[in-house]
Amino acid sequence: MHPRIEQFLSQHSDISRRYFLGLGAAGSLAWGKLSLGAEEPAAKADRDPRLEEAIANLESFLTPESEFRDVSRGRPVPHSLPEEKKSEVGLTRDTWKLEVVSDPDHPTRMKSPLTTAEGTALDFAGLMKIAERNAVRFAKVMTCLNIGCPLGTGIWEGVPLRDVLWLAQPTSDLRRIFYHGYHNDDPKQLFRSSLPVGRVLEDPFDLPPVILCYKLNGEWLSSERGGPVRVVVPEAYGFKSIKWLQRITLSNLWYANDTYGEKNNDVDSDLKSFAATLHVPDSVQPDEPFAVTGYAQVGISGVSKVQVWLDDESQPLPEGDKYFTTAPWTDAEILSPPNEWGGGLADGKLRLPIHQFDSESGEPRQWPMRLAKIHWATLLPGRPAGKYTLRCRTLDEKGIAQPMPRPFRKSGHAAIEQVAVSIG
Ligand SMILES: Nc1nc2c(c(=O)[nH]1)N[C@H]1C(S)=C(S)[C@@H](COP(=O)(O)O)O[C@H]1N2
Ligand SMILES: [Mo]
């Protein structure tokens, strides 16, 4: 083993043994970049030009602000209000106020609630004071549980929600925290989410903290993304990340009370891993190899492989195998961390520290990076004329293939994608 790889491994015990043993072309690329700083990854030179071109056309890792997709409720949606109205209702950095109060129905004992009535609510300057000593950043893909496809990937910056919670000095009877944002002062438009207190106070395993977020990709959080301040829950689907945050309620309630639960959604479900295509050529010549690219959402169980399968539609599907586990899947190349992160960062540079990155090297500590969206590519061998179905899937870090281990739709999208490919 290269001595520097050995040193790297001994310093990074969180990188799994299985991943190391499974070094394929993509794996060694990632290592090359992570540990040796190789300028031109070896496999790159061997790539077919068709594959190289498809990779060159891929979207960037971070999503530019203008390309984020919006999932906002409200009539009108709060970010569409005129500026004067935003000032009036606290939707600007100058006028923003956050209350932290006890739930009247299931009270939490607390010494210093933060309320507007008593002039103790937290304002933006107060939030920035906390940020001076305790700002955190992490990379995360925002995904709507209902829509399924990612809305955008960003570096989200904020202060841990627990820092603000402690300002209110809760002493007992605290089991759940729920929170909501501006909703046109109409109770029918209330969109609330919630977390068990433990998740707010402590970060399990290597997760970043739940934050009160005020910046995205280095810029102030826009009104459309929920600014001036939104909650961002690293491992959760979008509905936990409440926008235009105005009130946090500390409660002795012991179960979830999220608005999103009303439509049969599983509100305790964390991000799943899944793969999807981005580029599949419109028309393919018979017996000509062709390039396919895509992305994978790296959920809480990670991603160890992305696989594809081009199925000839004239052949019968295997019986009794609804997840196609016996199909002849082949491995796609998981692309290594990019040199350019995109997303319109100032000087194109990541501002460290970022939770999933090594602060010294500036490289991701784990790849594929959990909670993010990564990219893959593959060159499929030529096939005779005919109609085909292209499928892709992830295997998580335990080797469990999509849509398992959590196949239910109302817990988030993980169904195996299929795309029609016509050859000839
Ligand atoms: N206040 C408020 N917060 C909200 C919503 C909302 O309608 N109102 N939508 C939620 C849902 S369902 C999702 S998927 C995410 C989407 O975040 P985005 O609009 O920044 O992409 O915001 C969440 N936060
Ligand atoms: Mo959503």
Side-chain angles (χ1 to χ4, degrees):
M1 199 189 305
H2 190 291
R4 282 172 69 187
I5 294 186
E6 208 168 308
Q7 186 193 4
F8 178 83
L9 278 176
S10 65
Q11 289 165 358
H12 296 257
S13 50
D14 56 335
I15 291 169
S16 78
R17 180 179 152 78
R18 186 196 39 67
Y19 195 165
F20 176 64
L21 293 175
L23 284 183
S28 55
L29 261 188
W31 286 105
K33 191 164 158 67
L34 283 169
S35 58
L36 307 170
E39 276 145 42
E40 258 331 79
K44 209 168 166 181
D46 306 336
R47 275 191 198 135
D48 184 281
R50 289 164 287 202
L51 187 58
E52 202 63 72
E53 191 192 332
I55 291 172
N57 287 327
L58 272 168
E59 61 183 11
S60 56
F61 180 89
L62 296 176
T63 308
E65 159 71 22
S66 60
E67 285 169 34
F68 266 81
R69 286 176 59 194
D70 183 31
V71 184
S72 300
R73 295 186 184 186
R75 272 192 209 165
V77 285
H79 60 78
S80 70
L81 292 169
E83 279 308 304
E84 318 88 79
K85 181 72 180 170
K86 283 184 184 165
S87 293
E88 191 190 311
V89 301
L91 288 181
T92 63
R93 288 192 296 281
D94 291 342
T95 58
W96 180 77
K97 292 258 171 8
L98 176 67
E99 296 191 301
V100 183
V101 298
S102 171
D103 174 6
D105 298 326
H106 307 273
T108 288
R109 286 167 186 265
M110 56 200 292
K111 288 187 184 158
S112 3
L114 312 185
T115 68
T116 38
E118 288 171 44
T120 52
L122 183 72
D123 61 9
F124 201 79
L127 188 75
M128 289 303 100
K129 268 251 153 324
I130 305 174
E132 271 168 30
R133 51 165 213 274
N134 230 358
V136 284
R137 297 184 203 92
F138 54 82
K140 170 189 171 54
V141 58
M142 190 64 71
T143 300
C144 178
L145 183 148
N146 268 328
I147 300 173
C149 77
L151 306 167
T153 304
I155 305 287
W156 306 85
E157 176 178 324
V159 302
L161 169 53
R162 54 179 164 265
D163 288 15
V164 172
L165 185 139
W166 285 127
L167 292 179
Q169 302 192 58
T171 54
S172 65
D173 300 343
L174 176 52
R175 286 187 279 181
R176 199 152 195 98
I177 289 163
F178 52 90
Y179 42 95
H180 70 255
Y182 180 70
H183 52 287
N184 297 312
D185 299 317
D186 173 2
K188 285 202 235 55
Q189 298 190 27
L190 182 77
F191 187 81
R192 174 176 66 196
S193 194
S194 75
L195 288 167
V197 63
R199 175 59 188 102
V200 174
L201 298 184
E202 192 172 21
D203 307 322
F205 308 105
D206 199 26
L207 284 177
V210 175
I211 59 167
L212 301 183
C213 169
Y214 51 83
K215 277 191 178 179
L216 171 61
N217 293 341
E219 302 291 334
W220 293 121
L221 192 66
S222 68
S223 190
E224 185 174 311
R225 292 282 70 69
V229 180
R230 85 186 288 179
V231 172
V232 178
V233 182
E235 70 279 22
Y237 284 98
F239 69 92
K240 291 276 180 196
S241 296
I242 292 291
K243 309 204 280 190
W244 318 295
L245 181 69
Q246 291 191 321
R247 183 180 294 156
I248 295 173
T249 303
L250 308 191
S251 175
N252 202 24
L253 195 72
W254 65 93
Y255 49 83
N257 56 353
D258 299 42
T259 306
Y260 223 60
E262 286 163 11
K263 294 273 158 66
N264 197 24
N265 291 312
D266 173 4
V267 295
D268 290 326
S269 178
D270 290 330
L271 278 181
K272 296 180 182 180
S273 297
F274 74 87
T277 54
L278 283 169
H279 175 75
V280 181
D282 295 334
S283 63
V284 181
Q285 294 304 309
D287 306 313
E288 271 289 311
F290 61 100
V292 173
T293 61
Y295 68 85
Q297 172 170 293
V298 188
I300 52 160
S301 297
V303 165
S304 60
K305 274 179 193 281
V306 172
Q307 297 185 320
V308 295
W309 166 39
L310 188 66
D311 180 38
D312 182 343
E313 280 183 21
S314 65
Q315 301 300 310
L317 282 169
E319 261 175 56
D321 182 20
K322 67 175 171 175
Y323 301 144
F324 316 112
T325 57
T326 57
W329 297 93
T330 55
D331 294 352
E333 177 185 346
I334 290 178
L335 302 184
S336 37
N339 293 319
E340 307 285 339
W341 295 89
L345 298 175
D347 315 325
K349 293 230 162 56
L350 293 171
R351 195 162 155 235
L352 299 166
I354 299 172
H355 189 89
Q356 301 103 318
F357 289 72
D358 181 85
S359 281
E360 257 162 57
S361 66
E363 299 289 350
R365 287 190 283 126
Q366 185 200 38
W367 198 261
M369 189 194 295
R370 284 221 183 104
L371 316 181
K373 183 181 159 190
I374 50 117
H375 294 91
W376 56 268
T378 194
L379 190 76
L380 289 169
R383 299 279 284 265
K387 296 217 174 300
Y388 294 82
T389 302
L390 176 72
R391 291 184 177 81
C392 60
R393 68 174 188 182
T394 53
L395 271 59
D396 72 13
E397 287 195 4
K398 293 196 172 85
I400 300 174
Q402 250 183 269
M404 296 300 276
R406 293 187 287 144
F408 302 120
R409 178 61 185 91
K410 282 306 205 174
S411 307
H413 166 78
I416 295 172
E417 187 198 84
Q418 47 185 74
V419 182
V421 177
S422 160
I423 299 185

